[in-house]
Amino acid sequence: MSLPDPAQWWRDAAIYQVYVRSFADADGDGIGDLRGVHDRLGHLAGLGVDAVWLNPWYPSPMADAGYDIADYRDIDPVFGTLADADALIADAHERGIRVVIDLVPNHCSDRHPWFRAALAAEPRSPARSRFWFRPGRGPGGDLPPNNWVSHFGGPAWTRVTEPDGRPGQWYLHLFAPEQPDFNWDNREVREEFLDVLRFWLDRGVDGVRIDSAAILVKDPFLADADPGAPHPYTDRDGVHEIYREWRRVADSYPGGRALIGEVWLPDARRFALYLRPDELHAAFNFEFLTSPWDAQALRAVIDETLAAHAPVGAPATWVLSNHDVTRHVSRYGRAETGFDFADRRHGEPFDLDLGTRRARAAALLSLALPGAVYIYQGEELGLWEVEDIPGALRQDPMWRRTGGADPGRDGCRVPLPWSGLEPPFGFSPADARSEPWLPQPAAWKDHTVEAGEADPSSMLELYRAALRLRRSEPGLRSEREPLHWIDAAHGVLAFRRGDDVACVVNLSGAPVALPAHESVLLASAPLEDGRLLPADAGVWLRLRRH
Ligand code: GLC
């Protein structure tokens, strides 16, 4: 059996998502930074991940935590400098860790020089044609050009004041008003991003995570959306041409540079179109993330995912959490275990023990599936969603723009606990000038890296052991070892990877017997009587001796 070409490392990698502002703060301002990441690379190497994906690090007014970029070729001073980025990339590579950065092509910041130039220019000018400027509707152009709404609440249009002081055109922003959408029909926009891509690939990054990848291309007529129908800007055919150009650039570099798309599309077949051999190398599988903790639902997602990826020859990806969704320890500990942006279910009763048991089992499930797996920082510590952040401290525009109706995403972005018994738990240095930018729960004293290392039954030790085995067992890791379902009781997921190893996850609510095996490689909970797999537990089995 052959292992994948190392130049295609993303096919079976374990990729750790570093949310930079909440990972580690080296300079004591209460906000994570690149030196903080650099200083803690040992944690990532010890965990056993193959790559990191860093959330946006560019100069930004931070209207959307860095997803509003003012300069695509530099680092925000709050995070460090380009020299810090170079040093981080070099040191990560020394340790065998690849580096993926976040690129945001759908929109920039309203402080980006192109948008400033557009504001200063005339309607219908070349400077405005890099964005979506349109006259308003109704008397005096007082109404937005169409009925689109922002993902963060309110209209997707904001009216500008023209240089002569009169109320003027409107511009499109599918997210916050500080995030104007680029017009991807404009050749200059396309060239600019090809150049930005080269800029970072030249600096040695191993890939880019492409933000909001399916919504770049808009209907040029900007027709009204039909209520209840899919967004008229999602998944328009023209988007594929953009990624074909990007792919040619990425593939012209040595060493394997990955294009990884954030593609929110419920239709697995349309999703797979982004993964054709001349487009993106990989894309996030959100159907797995949003699935409830239910054997049938999960099995259906796994089957559909594998079936959709196979014809295009792309690797599947498995994600349980990220910086936009409720942490899965919390989701799995509630009565309703799926995830839906429409309702984050903050404040609903939540059983931490149950959520943690399921999260442990889910870790073994996702790490045993064929393809790449993404780990969101803190899931290896068993962190949960922080739901009681005072309104005055919340920073997510989603919360502000919905008037608090949506609690937003701050609850999954709370700074990591590293050590010690009280905040800042080693996140910031002892002599820090400021507290962490979001308050950490006191109970995280039992979830620091230090506490996890001292407890063999911790989530951290489970992740370490699982990642170690995933590396050493080709049957687990290589996505060329297909998944074969094993007959199992109702509510139990059981599959083989090749002939050597199996994964069994018990969602049935009662203990179950295990299939015939040679030995237990790893279990998320102790077996009952040494042989029964408890409810909400998972296990990896060796099926035969080598
Ligand atoms: C993506 C990011 C999210 C951001 C949005 C706008 O969905 O993951 O954090 O707010 O795009 O850039």
Side-chain angles (χ1 to χ4, degrees), residues 90 121 165 175 179 220 239 273 286 293 296 302-303 424 432 446 507 516 540:
F175 295 93
Q179 294 167 294
V239 77
L273 293 181
F286 293 117
W293 184 248
Q296 249 176 312
I302 293 167
D303 282 339
D446 300 324
L507 298 91
W540 287 355

Side-chain angles (χ1 to χ4, degrees), residues 453-532:
E453 281 175 339
D455 174 6
S457 70
S458 67
M459 188 73 90
L460 178 59
E461 291 305 318
L462 180 75
Y463 268 82
R464 285 183 175 174
L467 285 162
R468 222 171 15 242
L469 277 166
R470 193 175 180 275
R471 273 193 174 173
S472 62
E473 291 287 332
L476 271 175
R477 173 165 186 163
S478 167
E479 40 121 14
R480 299 198 184 146
E481 284 292 4
L483 173 151
H484 297 285
W485 293 105
I486 305 174
D487 281 342
H490 187 74
V492 176
L493 294 172
F495 57 88
R496 272 189 303 115
R497 295 288 310 281
D499 294 327
D500 289 344
V501 285
C503 172
V504 184
V505 181
N506 181 5
L507 298 91
S508 74
V512 291
L514 291 170
H517 58 278
E518 219 264 330
S519 59
V520 172
L521 288 170
L522 186 62
S524 73
L527 299 184
E528 283 179 28
D529 301 332
R531 55 177 200 94
L532 294 179

Side-chain angles (χ1 to χ4, degrees), residues 217-449:
V217 175
K218 275 86 187 177
D219 160 19
F221 300 107
L222 300 170
D224 274 342
D226 291 334
H231 298 306
Y233 47 79
T234 297
D235 191 33
R236 296 184 64 82
D237 285 341
V239 77
H240 298 289
E241 196 184 304
I242 296 170
Y243 297 130
R244 283 196 286 271
E245 284 193 310
W246 288 36
R247 179 65 177 256
R248 283 195 289 276
V249 170
D251 284 356
S252 72
Y253 281 77
R257 314 295 178 104
L259 302 176
I260 305 168
E262 186 204 19
V263 178
W264 283 95
L265 273 187
D267 177 336
R269 270 172 313 174
R270 298 235 25 118
F271 178 88
L273 293 181
Y274 289 78
L275 300 172
R276 286 175 288 190
D278 57 351
E279 294 193 34
L280 303 181
H281 296 96
F284 294 99
N285 176 10
F286 293 117
E287 295 304 297
F288 185 67
L289 179 155
T290 51
S291 170
W293 184 248
D294 172 86
Q296 249 176 312
L298 282 166
R299 180 167 170 160
V301 170
I302 293 167
D303 282 339
E304 276 165 28
T305 301
L306 295 174
H309 285 71
V312 285
T317 61
W318 310 101
V319 189
L320 292 169
S321 277
N322 66 30
H323 65 293
D324 291 328
V325 305
T326 307
R327 282 192 179 272
H328 59 274
V329 162
S330 294
R331 288 182 345 242
Y332 293 160
R334 296 177 185 155
E336 172 54 61
T337 50
F339 177 75
D340 187 350
F341 278 110
D343 184 0
R344 289 174 185 267
R345 301 182 184 281
H346 274 207
E348 285 192 7
F350 146 64
D351 179 338
L352 176 60
D353 284 343
L354 180 65
T356 303
R357 278 203 305 280
R358 290 176 171 171
R360 292 174 65 90
L364 294 196
L365 172 64
S366 57
L367 287 162
L369 291 169
V373 65
Y374 288 80
I375 298 165
Y376 177 49
Q377 70 176 38
E379 75 175 64
E380 82 279 23
L381 304 175
L383 301 187
W384 56 89
E385 185 81 2
V386 182
E387 299 184 19
D388 60 356
I389 300 172
L393 297 179
R394 287 192 180 269
Q395 302 209 3
D396 188 357
M398 224 174 218
W399 181 80
R400 265 184 286 113
R401 286 185 56 84
T402 59
D406 187 326
R409 302 161 293 179
D410 291 311
C412 65
R413 299 174 175 180
V414 173
L416 286 195
W418 292 91
S419 57
L421 296 175
E422 49 194 47
F425 297 119
F427 168 72
S428 297
D431 58 353
R433 306 187 293 289
S434 308
E435 294 182 355
W437 69 280
L438 287 174
Q440 300 159 304
W444 281 6
K445 70 178 179 12
D446 300 324
H447 293 265
T448 61
V449 172

Side-chain angles (χ1 to χ4, degrees), residues 134-137 139-143 157-161 166-171 173:
R134 288 291 184 275
R137 294 200 283 199
D142 285 347
L143 297 172
W157 295 91
T158 292
R159 193 169 197 184
V160 303
T161 304
R166 280 183 302 172
Q169 289 193 304
W170 298 68
Y171 68 90
H173 51 85

